[in-house]
Amino acid sequence: MIIHKGYLITSLSLFFVVMALNFPFPHATYQSGVHSMVVLGIPVSTADGIMWFGWLYVAMIVAAVVFLVKALDKYKLRLALLSLLLVNVMPIATASAFERTVASGVYAVSYDSSASVCEFNRSGNERMKAECELTFTNHSDEAVFFTLSFMERYSGYKEFNEILSLLNEYGPFEASLDGSERKVVSISAEVESSGFDGGSFNGPNLKIEGDDGKTRTY
């Protein structure tokens, strides 16, 4: 089935490099809130412009598939599609498996961005009230204590960036999770902002730091 070992080795090497560079642990390789275009599972642009490294990774994947097809004489289409599936799924699946089994401390804490929201409201000329409900799960059996702060970037909404920056002035915020606990961490503060009257968005990007100094970004 293999007619050119050199092409096969090149293909596997390219796939490995792309997966290693996009391994989402302990830090999210890409922040979910800042991307506007994704190709083959890799973000290639944001509201700020083109992500050239993203396009480079896409080119490497395409090259890997070409070399794989050239290396085989049977099942070319089948294995090419399987390779594309694996390069998209394996990094996330491996990171998730580690997080849910052997990880400890903040490395065992997952952040559910889809179930997290920040809301900003102002009444008249009063200060802006910022409230965030952030959902975390501790996959270990041990209690975890950590501090959290906001990544001050949310593509397309510069007003939100300002509020997150102002929120960080009140932080870092303390939080704790018991073993195997899923919990909503609430953060509330009043900040000085004249940019807009209010709004909300899901999944603010976060940085958390454990009491052992280990950090994660989401």
Side-chain angles (χ1 to χ4, degrees):
M1 188 173 74
I2 299 173
I3 59 176
H4 200 299
K5 290 184 178 180
Y7 286 163
L8 180 62
I9 292 173
T10 301
S11 175
L12 294 178
S13 298
L14 288 171
F15 279 128
F16 177 80
V17 169
V18 172
M19 287 190 290
L21 292 175
N22 289 277
F23 189 66
F25 194 91
H27 307 297
T29 308
Y30 304 107
Q31 295 174 11
S32 59
V34 303
H35 304 118
S36 57
M37 181 177 179
V38 176
V39 176
L40 297 178
I42 296 176
V44 294
S45 72
T46 71
D48 298 325
I50 296 173
M51 296 178 63
W52 295 109
F53 274 108
W55 282 112
L56 175 61
Y57 297 153
V58 170
M60 291 172 66
I61 292 174
V62 172
V65 171
V66 171
F67 280 116
L68 179 63
V69 170
K70 288 180 174 292
L72 305 173
D73 64 348
K74 291 182 179 180
Y75 312 118
K76 295 182 178 183
L77 178 60
R78 201 174 304 175
L79 290 175
L81 294 175
L82 178 61
S83 67
L84 289 175
L85 175 64
L86 291 177
V87 79
N88 279 278
V89 172
M90 279 190 64
I92 297 174
T94 303
S96 178
F98 179 78
E99 181 181 74
R100 294 170 182 273
T101 54
V102 300
S104 61
V106 295
Y107 286 174
V109 174
S110 63
Y111 167 55
D112 189 347
S113 60
S114 63
S116 301
V117 63
C118 285
E119 296 184 347
F120 313 112
N121 297 288
R122 184 200 308 279
S123 178
N125 294 321
E126 297 177 1
R127 292 166 58 124
M128 177 76 69
K129 185 174 183 180
E131 297 179 302
C132 294
E133 301 286 325
L134 310 172
T135 304
F136 298 93
T137 301
N138 177 13
H139 298 286
S140 72
D141 295 328
E142 302 292 331
V144 178
F145 301 88
F146 59 90
T147 59
L148 69 89
S149 56
F150 295 92
M151 307 287 283
E152 298 171 13
R153 188 162 185 255
Y154 198 82
S155 181
Y157 301 92
K158 293 183 179 180
E159 297 89 349
F160 291 155
N161 300 345
E162 177 190 353
I163 300 295
L164 295 179
S165 178
L166 293 171
L167 267 177
N168 277 336
E169 294 181 4
Y170 292 84
F173 303 92
E174 295 182 350
S176 64
L177 296 170
D178 292 332
S180 303
E181 181 183 22
R182 180 178 174 86
K183 180 178 180 180
V184 176
V185 175
S186 299
I187 292 174
S188 179
E190 291 188 354
V191 298
E192 292 285 355
S193 175
S194 58
F196 70 130
D197 291 329
S200 66
F201 68 92
N202 291 87
N205 298 121
L206 304 176
K207 175 183 177 181
I208 69 172
E209 181 174 358
D211 51 11
D212 57 0
K214 294 179 180 178
T215 63
R216 294 193 68 179
T217 57
Y218 306 94

